Amino acid sequence: MHTLFISDLHLAAERPQIMAQFLAFTTDIAPQAAALYMLGDLFEYWAGDDDTDALGAQTAAALAALAARGTKVFLMQGNRDVLMAGAFAARSGATLIEDPLLINLHGTQTLLTHGDALCTDDADYQRFRAYARDAGNQARFLAQPLETRREQMLGMRAQSEASKQQKTETIMDVAPAAVEDLLRQYNYPRLIHGHTHRPARHVHQVDGHSCERWVLNDWYQRGGYLRVDARGCSAVLL
Ligand code: MN
């Protein structure tokens, strides 16, 4: 029995090859797993669950088919798809999960998070994160027509890309102190996250505990996943 983790696919209509790779993954690889966890940024942007364009519909159908074959499907919001909610999860046969979420993963306590909350050196970004996750702000945004929301999302995406050019790699990575605080708070689990697009295995020594931290790969150039069973984790590229 094993479990798969993916994140940061950034599915978008203009990158059909990623979509093709994702669809093949859901039919050829994921069905053998007991569960598939998607830890955020499944979509390049998400304007709301009432957006039923081809990309979202095709994704939901692929996940629903996977769930129907017996693999449990879990969805976590990222920063790009923070508005992905219950209606989309229902269409996908998926369960929407909180960030962070602690699970018993084949016998090992494991904490799952998208990862953006750990980038605490980027004060700018953390301000935006708090704004984007505020329920009142979300309700006001969602009250606008879908087309307006899509345009605003594309504008924000361009702005975010421009501001990233001004920031150092270190500022945009997770802050070690934030990682250690989180591990301490959850009693020293294993940690799995995405967001930074820097796939790696790290080991943090916290208060005498050795904690593994796995960073998932993005799918911009090439898809991939983390496979976990009772013996441990292995990263696989497609
Ligand atoms: Mn992200």
Side-chain angles (χ1 to χ4, degrees), residues 132-211:
R133 288 184 166 258
D134 176 83
N137 291 336
Q138 290 188 353
R140 273 187 294 279
F141 181 79
L142 288 169
Q144 302 177 100
L146 179 58
E147 210 34 59
T148 311
R149 281 180 268 148
R150 280 201 188 122
E151 281 163 21
Q152 285 190 20
M153 286 264 168
L154 287 170
M156 281 189 272
R157 187 172 65 151
Q159 243 175 30
S160 138
E161 289 306 317
S163 82
K164 276 200 261 180
Q165 305 298 321
Q166 314 291 322
K167 293 176 185 173
T168 66
E169 295 284 300
T170 315
I171 278 181
M172 291 191 293
D173 201 354
V174 299
V179 170
E180 285 162 24
D181 283 348
L182 187 68
L183 292 169
R184 194 172 285 125
Q185 191 186 333
Y186 282 87
N187 203 24
Y188 316 105
R190 172 206 277 150
L191 179 61
I192 300 175
H193 71 84
H195 181 66
T196 60
H197 302 190
R198 294 172 202 200
R201 173 186 182 269
H202 302 271
V203 178
H204 293 261
Q205 302 298 336
V206 192
D207 309 335
H209 300 263
S210 204
C211 302

Side-chain angles (χ1 to χ4, degrees), residues 8 41 79 114 195:
D8 303 279
D41 290 0
N79 51 303
H114 177 56
H195 181 66

